[in-house]
Amino acid sequence: MKTKYVSRLFDQAFVRSGPIRWLVVGGTLLIAAIAVGAVLMAQNFRERALRNSGRELENTVLMLAHHFDQQLQDFAVIQKDFVDHVRAIGINSAEDYRKRLSGQDIHRLLRSKIEALPYMGGVNVIDADGNLINSSTAWPAPKVNLADRAYFRTFRYDPNAPDILVEPLHSRISGAWTILIVRKIVGPNGEFMGVVGRGIEPANFEKFFESVVLGEGATISMLHRDGTLLARYPHSEDLMGRNFKTGPFAQQRVFGLDHFAGRFMSPVDGEDRLISSHALPHFPILMMATATRAAALTDWREQIVILISVAASSALAIAGVLIAIVRKLLEQHRLSRERLTLEKLRLDRAVNNMTQGLLLFDAERRLVVCNQRYIEMYGLSPEVVKPGSSFRDIIAHRKATGSFTGDVDDYVGRVLRDIHARNSMVVDTSDGRSIHILNEPLADGGWVATHEDITERRRIEERITHLAHYDALTDLPNRAMFHEHLRQELAAIADGEEIAVHYIDIDEFKGVNDALGHLVGDELLKSVAASLSRCAGPGDFVARLGGDEFAIVQSAITSLDQVNDLVARIFEAIRAPFDCMGHHLTTDASIGIALAPRHGTALDQILKNADMAMYAAKAAGRRTYRFFEPEMDAKVHERRQLEIDLRHAIAHGDLEVYYQPCLSLKDDRITGCEALVRWRHPERGMVSPAEFIPIAEDTGLINEIGEWVLATACRDAATWPDDIRLAVNVSPVQFKSGTLALKIMAALAASNLPASRLELEITEAVLIRDDDTALAILHQLRAIGVRIALDDFGTGYSSLSYLHRFPFDKIKIDRCFVSDIAGPDGSASIVQAVVNLAAARRMTTTAEGVETEEQQRLLRALGCSEMQGYLFSAAKPAEKVLELFALHRSRLAQRDGKESRRREAS
């Protein structure tokens, strides 16, 4: 029935109207164009899906190639180090090679080299006859002969063979497929002495492949350049070791290229697959990833369903619109009156629901249209404000109802005089509102007036203007307004008067934020701001510069007593307890003061001088104030020059490493040495670390210095006796880099120093700044065998909590507790408590700064483990400390001999 109606409707359209006929033809062509466009888009989407899948495969194999190339290069470095070691110890023949490399010392050496690379398997050493003579995984090495292996025969009989070979084979130890990486070792005269190699089971690679999700049906494979399958995910035992270079030309071509991307039928499952391969830059290995064409087009099929649905919906919508248009046109005459009535109602509804009041006047100044919003805006009577009323009558009615102030005739005359041009004005009503009036002239001589209540908008604009010049938290003037005010004051200084600029920094504010949270910290800042505003004089200007820094501009100063009085009021106000969200907080401040014009007249100069004075107050121990002095500027320049000299010293290798020994209080033996950086300046002589280390930490140079000290100290310590450890201090700044653990492992590997002989000394500042990150790094270092010591124990505020969270190996007792240990009210009880605490946690204790025999005796009686200080030895250069080791061992031997003879005589 509906089909017959539509057919009849279109018959009428074709008969009655030519334009409607062309409209139907155009709609039909549009539907056909949609169908053709949908087909073209489907083809485009299909090609794009295949390209995207291929790109994903290319990115995957590129990532895998770089990843495994780096891993294999890591082992190649170990092999090269081992070859260098063989040459360095003077092995010249195959027999010498077999004897000297089959011992347990070489086994330990191999284990130490492989500890830094836990993702690899063991290292094996093979002699010239193919016998396994040493291994990093087992001692003694199993009796295995590998002389019949292809790689061994290649190395032994082919003089042109490469130094490194990669070969897949069945392991005679595990019985599984193994990827073997071997390196030839020859003597100085070219004699073949043996092989060092390492086997990696494919499961190690396949586990990593599994983590790279490529979708259903995808595979990731590692193949030798000769076509042999080394590893594959999903794993297939039947395919392991199979050679795929024997297939069609397209399949063989993959192994001859460094990079390949394309598609062909898989020789494994017969599927039509997309393939991408990439060769490792330094090894004869290919990484290959494939995905089935069906899987690559999964999303495309979903898109096609959507596209077909959209195209069909569009065609149906167009057809429906055509039907509706034709029907509307045919019924236009009958519906014209209804449409006009409806549109009039809509226009009235729209006008009356406007947020603005609307008035339309004709050329005779008579009202034509007035909406409800205008009536409500001014509280007028609809009986008075109605079509036909004059403009003057409406204004007079507003005057009578109280929504207009001023002279009616004057206002009417001013509006009518300017009505020929577009104009606007803002008027204020008696109830405090702001109304924006816009008069728009019309061509017939009338005009349209809109009235908009902009009260809230003006308040927002005023608020925005306020926020641009005032601090949002404290409502004090901000830095920009402070600079503007100070600039004006500097330009208007009267004769005989001065201006004082007070820079105020709240002491220990960060501790409040860290301990109680930012909400409490914000409340404290607001309380401080209110106190500063109350204690400032009527002519003083108080501002917040940002963070916990405030400033006061004190004008019309004729005596320094006025400045000192204000400072006293500031300290009194700030030091009073504040109630911040239930916390009773007390604080203090460091204040720097610069006077203008005494200390300068330029804005930047005064600000810089006040800032330097504030830092001088902080350097003086905080909780005080300082006036600017010219010497402060000189100190800043001196510090800058020292920084320049330090950079030069680092660049030219002018720094030195000294070593201060640590002595056991139990048997007087040297247990270790602490590495200390020293700087011998060409003009200043020896510069104290207390001077240049803070500069290095502020500028970030401590990272470069720390890395150099670590590498140098590890290299020196490798020449010490095996029972003497090396202690290296680590700055909190070094922990921020995120690469500290890698740098330490690199230094150990480069120096061949066992990780168990390295001890890192950290302070509580490392943990306070970012304890979770720092603890994670410490656990990484602890896992490789590095010892961790907590330095300057007892001088911070979180010691016990960190002892509980991390099992330190050693606690170093600060020299401030050792210096007065012998006094009647000394720190012996504190030292005893630390020693007991360390013993309970199975940690050793080292007392720093021991300078007298009395201190040594008391520390030994209290149970302290070790001592360090001038009583035994100051820090010495590397060559001097070796002499100290030998001399001290000789003395201990003489002492032990005397005691032995005394016991025999008794």
Side-chain angles (χ1 to χ4, degrees):
M1 192 70 181
K2 183 176 181 182
T3 304
K4 292 182 179 179
Y5 170 75
V6 172
S7 178
R8 185 171 64 255
L9 189 64
F10 277 100
D11 288 342
Q12 294 175 359
F14 271 90
V15 171
R16 296 185 182 184
S17 177
I20 296 179
R21 183 185 306 117
W22 289 113
L23 179 64
V24 173
V25 172
T28 304
L29 292 176
L30 181 59
I31 293 173
I34 290 174
V36 173
V39 173
L40 295 176
M41 289 181 68
Q43 293 177 346
N44 183 42
F45 288 165
R46 180 179 177 276
E47 293 302 321
R48 185 184 301 173
L50 293 174
R51 284 198 304 272
N52 290 341
S53 182
R55 190 178 299 112
E56 182 180 6
L57 293 176
E58 291 178 19
N59 293 337
T60 300
V61 296
L62 180 60
M63 181 271 291
L64 292 172
H66 283 292
H67 174 78
F68 289 114
D69 187 69
Q70 182 62 51
Q71 283 196 351
L72 296 178
Q73 282 192 78
D74 290 343
F75 175 62
V77 170
I78 292 178
Q79 288 180 315
K80 184 177 181 305
D81 288 347
F82 182 78
V83 174
D84 292 342
H85 177 74
V86 171
R87 293 171 181 168
I89 63 177
I91 295 177
N92 298 319
S93 66
E95 182 62 29
D96 193 22
Y97 175 92
R98 183 180 301 107
K99 290 179 180 180
R100 297 179 64 182
L101 297 186
S102 59
Q104 191 171 6
D105 57 331
I106 299 301
H107 167 72
R108 288 194 297 268
L109 174 64
L110 294 176
R111 286 186 61 85
S112 68
K113 286 183 174 297
I114 212 66
E115 282 178 350
L117 301 174
Y119 49 81
M120 292 290 188
V123 180
N124 299 314
V125 181
I126 303 166
D127 65 7
D129 295 329
N131 294 315
L132 178 67
I133 62 172
N134 217 323
S135 174
S136 66
T137 58
W139 177 259
K143 294 183 179 181
V144 178
N145 187 277
L146 305 171
D148 59 334
R149 292 296 196 186
Y151 70 85
F152 187 83
R153 294 198 302 272
T154 300
F155 280 154
R156 185 168 186 175
Y157 300 113
D158 186 357
N160 298 319
D163 291 339
I164 298 177
L165 288 178
V166 179
E167 182 174 325
L169 44 77
H170 275 284
S171 173
R172 291 178 176 171
I173 298 175
S174 65
W177 272 99
T178 301
I179 301 169
L180 192 66
I181 305 173
V182 291
R183 185 182 184 100
K184 177 172 66 175
I185 302 177
V186 297
N189 55 0
E191 177 188 1
F192 174 68
M193 297 193 298
V195 174
V196 59
R198 187 174 204 173
I200 308 172
E201 293 188 0
N204 292 333
F205 297 110
E206 292 171 353
K207 184 177 181 181
F208 187 83
F209 295 165
E210 185 178 1
S211 66
V212 182
V213 180
L214 290 178
E216 184 178 357
T219 67
I220 300 176
S221 304
M222 175 185 285
L223 301 101
H224 197 280
R225 290 297 287 261
D226 65 3
T228 304
L229 180 65
L230 305 178
R232 182 180 185 270
Y233 180 81
H235 179 75
S236 174
E237 191 66 30
D238 295 338
L239 298 178
M240 296 303 297
R242 177 176 167 184
N243 192 295
F244 288 90
K245 200 174 180 179
T246 59
F249 173 74
Q251 183 175 324
Q252 296 181 23
R253 193 160 59 96
V254 175
F255 298 94
L257 300 175
D258 289 338
H259 174 68
F260 176 80
R263 52 181 286 198
F264 55 68
M265 299 300 294
S266 171
V268 176
D269 56 11
E271 291 273 0
D272 185 3
R273 287 183 173 271
L274 303 177
I275 179 173
S276 181
S277 67
H278 201 286
L280 271 63
H282 301 94
F283 297 91
I285 293 176
L286 283 177
M287 298 307 306
M288 180 181 296
T290 70
T292 63
R293 179 172 169 273
L297 294 177
T298 300
D299 292 340
W300 172 76
R301 294 188 187 92
E302 297 177 358
Q303 292 175 342
I304 290 304
V305 173
I306 297 173
L307 182 62
I308 293 174
S309 301
V310 171
S313 301
S314 300
L316 291 174
I318 292 172
V321 170
L322 286 174
I323 294 172
I325 291 174
V326 171
R327 183 178 178 182
K328 285 292 182 180
L329 290 175
L330 293 175
E331 297 178 357
Q332 182 177 13
H333 181 70
R334 182 177 63 83
L335 299 176
S336 59
R337 289 183 178 274
E338 297 178 6
R339 186 169 60 253
L340 289 173
T341 303
L342 179 61
E343 290 184 358
K344 184 178 181 305
L345 291 174
R346 288 176 177 173
L347 177 61
D348 291 342
R349 187 178 298 115
V351 169
N352 287 316
N353 284 280
M354 289 174 59
T355 59
Q356 301 169 321
L358 176 69
L359 298 173
L360 173 62
F361 293 94
D362 59 18
E364 301 298 325
R365 308 330 185 224
R366 297 286 177 180
L367 182 65
V368 178
V369 175
C370 174
N371 68 352
Q372 187 63 28
R373 175 61 179 153
Y374 181 81
I375 300 295
E376 296 171 352
M377 183 180 294
Y378 295 111
L380 305 179
S381 171
E383 301 299 326
V384 177
V385 184
K386 60 184 179 180
S389 302
S390 68
F391 177 53
R392 188 188 184 287
D393 291 342
I394 294 173
I395 300 303
H397 181 52
R398 284 187 52 196
K399 175 78 172 180
T401 56
S403 62
F404 178 84
T405 57
D407 185 83
V408 174
D409 292 328
D410 180 67
Y411 174 77
V412 170
R414 187 169 70 253
V415 171
L416 295 179
R417 183 174 62 250
D418 300 329
I419 204 60
H420 62 280
R422 188 174 188 268
N423 63 85
S424 64
M425 66 184 76
V426 177
V427 298
D428 296 324
T429 63
S430 58
D431 56 358
R433 291 180 297 157
S434 296
I435 307 296
H436 177 248
I437 302 174
L438 177 64
N439 295 314
E440 188 76 37
L442 301 177
D444 61 359
W447 78 93
V448 176
T450 56
H451 293 238
E452 181 180 6
D453 190 338
I454 60 170
T455 306
E456 189 60 30
R457 185 200 304 171
R458 293 186 78 179
R459 289 175 182 167
I460 293 174
E461 291 173 352
E462 290 172 357
R463 178 61 178 165
I464 293 173
T465 302
H466 180 82
L467 291 175
H469 295 88
Y470 288 83
D471 176 55
L473 178 65
T474 62
D475 206 34
L476 290 177
N478 60 14
R479 184 183 294 271
M481 192 170 180
F482 167 73
H483 286 179
E484 183 62 30
H485 177 81
L486 181 56
R487 188 178 288 108
Q488 294 173 1
E489 291 290 335
L490 290 173
I493 299 177
D495 293 338
E497 293 183 351
E498 289 185 307
I499 294 175
V501 177
H502 301 250
Y503 261 25
I504 306 167
D505 183 84
I506 306 303
D507 293 334
E508 308 297 344
F509 175 73
K510 185 179 183 301
V512 175
N513 265 348
D514 293 343
L516 302 177
H518 289 279
L519 291 178
V520 176
D522 289 346
E523 286 298 318
L524 178 59
L525 289 176
K526 289 193 285 187
S527 300
V528 169
S531 297
L532 292 177
S533 299
R534 287 193 298 269
C535 70
D540 299 337
F541 185 86
V542 184
R544 182 192 179 201
L545 304 184
D548 58 352
E549 292 187 5
F550 296 84
I552 298 178
V553 179
Q554 188 179 11
S555 305
I557 297 172
T558 58
S559 169
L560 285 182
D561 291 340
Q562 296 173 259
V563 179
N564 292 326
D565 289 344
L566 177 57
V567 170
R569 293 198 302 273
I570 291 173
F571 278 126
E572 182 181 1
I574 289 180
R575 290 168 179 168
F578 297 107
D579 185 357
C580 301
M581 302 180 69
H583 299 276
H584 294 280
L585 304 178
T586 58
T587 187
D588 217 310
S590 300
I591 304 175
I593 305 167
L595 302 173
R598 184 184 308 185
H599 298 145
T601 56
L603 176 67
D604 292 342
Q605 184 181 14
I606 287 295
L607 294 178
K608 184 186 75 171
N609 292 344
D611 191 53
M612 283 193 289
M614 182 190 70
Y615 277 101
K618 294 171 76 70
R622 305 175 185 268
R623 298 173 175 80
T624 186
Y625 69 99
R626 288 290 184 270
F627 284 92
F628 171 76
E629 297 174 358
E631 293 80 5
M632 296 177 182
D633 198 16
K635 289 182 179 179
V636 171
H637 287 294
E638 181 182 356
R639 185 182 186 279
R640 176 58 181 163
Q641 185 59 48
L642 194 61
E643 178 187 340
I644 294 172
D645 292 346
L646 180 58
R647 292 182 184 274
H648 182 274
I650 295 172
H652 292 80
D654 293 340
L655 298 180
E656 304 174 41
V657 179
Y658 278 42
Y659 301 94
Q660 185 174 32
C662 185
L663 193 71
S664 171
L665 290 173
K666 181 179 180 181
D667 54 11
D668 289 337
R669 297 187 183 276
I670 297 177
T671 59
C673 287
E674 180 180 359
L676 302 170
V677 65
R678 293 292 184 262
W679 179 17
R680 193 182 306 275
H681 195 279
E683 297 175 1
R684 302 180 182 212
M686 293 298 288
V687 181
S688 171
E691 292 184 53
F692 69 85
I693 291 298
I695 295 176
E697 291 186 331
D698 291 343
T699 58
L701 293 174
I702 194 67
N703 284 310
E704 190 173 349
I705 294 174
E707 186 174 352
W708 175 81
V709 169
L710 178 66
T712 303
C714 287
R715 188 169 58 252
D716 291 342
T719 65
W720 298 349
D722 293 342
D723 60 340
I724 298 180
R725 293 189 297 270
L726 168 68
V728 179
N729 290 281
V730 181
S731 167
V733 180
Q734 292 177 261
F735 274 79
K736 290 184 177 181
S737 66
T739 59
L740 177 62
L742 294 176
K743 291 176 179 177
I744 291 173
M745 288 188 284
L748 291 172
S751 63
N752 290 330
L753 182 71
S756 59
R757 288 184 59 197
L758 177 61
E759 184 173 272
L760 299 182
E761 296 187 3
I762 67 169
T763 62
E764 292 174 3
V766 169
L767 302 170
I768 291 171
R769 294 187 179 184
D770 193 353
D771 56 349
D772 290 335
T773 302
L775 287 172
I777 295 174
L778 292 178
H779 280 294
Q780 291 176 5
L781 296 172
R782 191 74 180 280
I784 66 172
V786 175
R787 291 168 54 87
I788 308 297
L790 183 59
D791 199 6
D792 299 337
F793 181 75
T795 59
Y797 11 63
S798 304
S799 303
L800 296 180
S801 66
Y802 292 121
L803 289 180
H804 178 71
R805 295 179 62 185
F806 185 82
F808 290 94
D809 297 287
K810 178 189 288 186
I811 295 176
K812 299 197 73 174
I813 302 171
D814 190 75
R815 64 181 64 246
C816 68
F817 298 111
V818 176
S819 60
D820 65 344
I821 191 172
D825 296 323
S827 56
S829 58
I830 298 177
V831 174
Q832 182 69 72
V834 174
V835 170
N836 293 341
L837 177 63
R841 306 289 296 182
R842 293 187 296 278
M843 304 174 188
T844 60
T845 50
T846 299
E848 298 181 293
V850 180
E851 299 180 356
T852 67
E853 294 183 356
E854 177 67 10
Q855 292 172 349
Q856 182 185 29
R857 185 186 63 78
L858 290 173
L859 289 169
R860 184 179 283 120
L862 292 173
C864 188
S865 308
E866 300 168 343
M867 60 162 275
Q868 185 178 358
Y870 286 158
L871 176 63
F872 178 68
S873 174
K876 296 179 178 294
E879 62 275 8
K880 296 294 184 182
V881 81
L882 285 173
E883 297 176 3
L884 177 65
F885 293 159
L887 179 61
H888 187 68
R889 286 178 181 268
S890 175
R891 289 176 179 173
L892 287 180
Q894 293 176 4
R895 185 198 66 181
D896 293 343
K898 290 179 181 179
E899 291 181 356
S900 177
R901 288 192 295 273
R902 186 182 302 112
R903 285 194 298 268
E904 290 175 358
S906 61

